[in-house]
Amino acid sequence: MKKLFATALAAVVVAAQSQAVWVYWGGSSDPGSYLSGTYKVTYSSQTVTVTSGLLGVYLGLTPSQAQSKVFSWWAYCLSPLEVVGTPQNPWEANTANLGSLLGGDANKGAWLANILFDSTIFPQQYKYPFAAQHAKVQLALWDLMGATITDTSNNPVAIWDDVAKTQITLGSTTYTYDPSQTYGYVYLDPVNRGQGQRLLQGGGGGGQNYPVPEPVTMGFAALGLAAALRKRRNR
């Protein structure tokens, strides 16, 4: 029975990790955003003019929980064509596999999202409070997705230091991608396309707020699942 209960509880924990959350953008402050520059981004045959950078968003297991501002989150946008939402209009999103969007570049995208964050600080903070550096990371992520990026005069924007897209200079430091390392990430995908943005958590999830069901609720769910499994076993 102990083994059965442990299995049931593990199943509930896994389910909780993949549970949908509600998201909205916190605006230019609270918890803040680091946006810089205006660019023309062409993706999926559409061109939009956007400001690039790091977004401060709020999320929760329900719309009201997101609006309560308990769970603040840093994220980069993976949907240049979509809006970011407002406190009055949060959108629902699920955790998703980044490979479904970036394919073989998924680990490289996770590397980019981790560069400017310091995992030794809790809650996790950015290393450089410079909007222009976060904007460059954002542009690099869109570039990995196959977007064409120019300035407002249609001049190509230089993002990478090399053709292979494995080196990028931010501030005075050049960072090199290490394919032998696996980089952590949390990727949120809107349930209804067009109602919100795909978001890649800055810093790969380490030390940032992420809503989870209450332990009591999880315990009851595990008991119910264990009972169901026991009943099935006794048939």
Side-chain angles (χ1 to χ4, degrees):
M1 176 62 186
K2 290 182 178 180
K3 184 177 180 181
L4 184 64
F5 180 80
T7 302
L9 182 57
V12 170
V13 171
V14 171
Q17 290 175 340
S18 60
Q19 186 166 355
V21 295
W22 292 81
V23 191
Y24 76 87
W25 181 40
S28 59
S29 61
D30 188 25
S33 297
Y34 292 86
L35 305 175
S36 178
T38 303
Y39 305 89
K40 293 178 69 174
V41 180
T42 301
Y43 182 67
S44 297
S45 301
Q46 297 184 57
T47 300
V48 293
T49 300
V50 295
T51 303
S52 178
L54 182 73
L55 298 174
V57 301
Y58 291 106
L59 44 79
L61 297 176
T62 64
S64 61
Q65 193 177 47
Q67 291 161 335
S68 70
K69 299 185 177 182
V70 173
F71 301 102
S72 58
W73 218 56
W74 294 110
Y76 293 105
C77 166
L78 294 176
S79 300
L81 307 179
E82 309 297 345
V83 298
V84 294
T86 65
Q88 295 75 31
N89 187 34
W91 74 88
E92 189 177 16
N94 288 313
T95 54
N97 187 333
L98 192 57
S100 63
L101 183 64
L102 294 180
D105 285 328
N107 195 51
K108 193 179 293 184
W111 161 70
L112 285 169
N114 278 272
I115 289 177
L116 292 177
F117 286 78
D118 188 347
S119 60
T120 65
I121 302 174
F122 185 86
Q124 195 170 37
Q125 300 291 327
Y126 47 83
K127 292 179 181 178
Y128 305 105
F130 301 132
Q133 313 311 322
H134 288 294
K136 195 170 183 180
V137 171
Q138 177 69 88
L139 295 178
L141 286 167
W142 286 336
D143 185 65
L144 286 182
M145 293 170 56
T148 300
I149 302 165
T150 66
D151 61 22
T152 53
S153 299
N154 295 319
N155 299 308
V157 174
I159 302 169
W160 301 93
D161 296 346
D162 63 344
V163 177
K165 300 181 181 179
T166 56
Q167 286 189 337
I168 188 169
T169 297
L170 302 169
S172 59
T173 305
T174 297
Y175 297 89
T176 302
Y177 172 63
D178 180 1
S180 68
Q181 182 176 343
T182 299
Y183 299 89
Y185 72 90
V186 178
Y187 162 44
L188 295 182
D189 193 27
V191 172
N192 296 308
R193 185 69 61 225
Q195 293 187 1
Q197 289 185 343
R198 299 182 180 101
L199 296 173
L200 178 61
Q201 187 180 31
Q208 292 194 55
N209 289 327
Y210 194 83
V212 295
E214 296 177 2
V216 173
T217 303
M218 291 177 63
F220 282 125
L223 285 171
L225 181 56
L229 290 172
R230 184 173 63 252
K231 181 178 180 181
R232 180 178 179 182
R233 184 179 180 183
N234 291 338
R235 284 182 179 176

